[in-house]
């Protein structure tokens, strides 16, 4: 039996041992990206790239982005963040094998995963199993994923889902407010979930400022994901990444 080596999982575990949160840059391959902007992210010390999105995925752009990142830095991980079965791009270092646990549609919980599994095996790609939880407002991914978003004021519901995810064997929990969300994940929810689980906690959606990133870090996030900032103002990533790690 051949199982893809857990190199990226090891990379993340080793970095988390330093006791500081990590920053991942999410790139949505809806559009092509400038090499200089990717270079900035790497120079600002983002810890990994995630590649994916919910709609209008362009395979050629995804390939171009992977090649651009690797032409600058061969070692920085590129992890797939598939919004559907077409999101397992070639040449990724690993893929988040995600289950949208609070979807109302089994397709997003186990269906798309079953369809993708053999493709991932053929590609010999490392998988990082992740429970994906949509928190209000949920934005596009909440709509597409038929989610029943967890109310912002009900951190105990997020805790119950996150703990059940750990018991089911997931390696990561991601609390997602949705890309472009006006309101990001509340710090109280982050700290309560962090206290209840032992696996790394990923936070994303609507984090646009260093202050917001810092708030998530202080609340207990292990990995902070920003997406839109890359397209809107890549220079701001310098201060956001600093705020995550200080
Ligand atoms: C979306 O959590 C990510 O999946 C990133 O969200 O684009 O709002 O940073 P933003």
């Amino acid at each position: 039996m051949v199982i893809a080596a857990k190199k990226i999982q090891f990379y993340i575990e080793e970095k988390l041992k330093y006791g500081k949160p990590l920053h991942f840059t999410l790139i949505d391959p809806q559009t092509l990206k400038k090499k200089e902007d990717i270079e900035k992210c790497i120079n600002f010390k983002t810890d990994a790239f995630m590649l994916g999105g919910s709609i209008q995925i362009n395979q050629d752009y995804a390939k171009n982005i992977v090649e651009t990142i690797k032409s600058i830095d061969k070692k920085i991980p590129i992890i797939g963040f598939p919004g559907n079965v077409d999101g397992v791009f070639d040449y990724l270092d690993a893929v988040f094998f995600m289950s949208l646990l609070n979807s109302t549609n089994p397709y997003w919980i186990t269906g798309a995963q079953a369809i993708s599994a053999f493709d991932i095996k053929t590609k010999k790609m490392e998988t990082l199993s992740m429970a994906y939880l949509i928190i209000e407002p949920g934005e596009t991914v909440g709509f597409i994923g038929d989610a029943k978003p967890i109310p912002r004021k009900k951190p105990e519901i997020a805790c119950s889902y996150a703990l059940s995810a750990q018991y089911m064997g997931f390696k990561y929990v991601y609390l997602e407010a949705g890309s472009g969300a006006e309101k990001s994940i509340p710090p109280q929810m982050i700290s309560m979930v962090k206290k209840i689980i032992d696996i790394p906690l990923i936070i994303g959606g609507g984090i646009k400022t260093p202050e917001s990133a810092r708030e998530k870090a202080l609340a207990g996030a292990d990995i902070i994901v920003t997406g839109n900032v890359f397209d809107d103002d890549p220079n701001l990533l310098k201060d956001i990444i600093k705020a995550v790690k200080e």
Side-chain angles (χ1 to χ4, degrees), residues 26 81 132 174 176 178-181 204-207 225-229:
L26 172 64
F81 183 56
Y132 194 46
Y174 192 133
E176 171 71 271
S179 185
I207 301 168
V225 179
T226 62
N228 277 330
V229 180

Side-chain angles (χ1 to χ4, degrees), residues 7-18:
K7 280 188 194 163
I8 305 302
Q9 188 181 319
F10 182 73
Y11 170 94
I12 295 169
E13 281 169 6
E14 287 301 300
K15 284 212 156 198
L16 285 174
K17 281 183 187 164
Y18 290 97

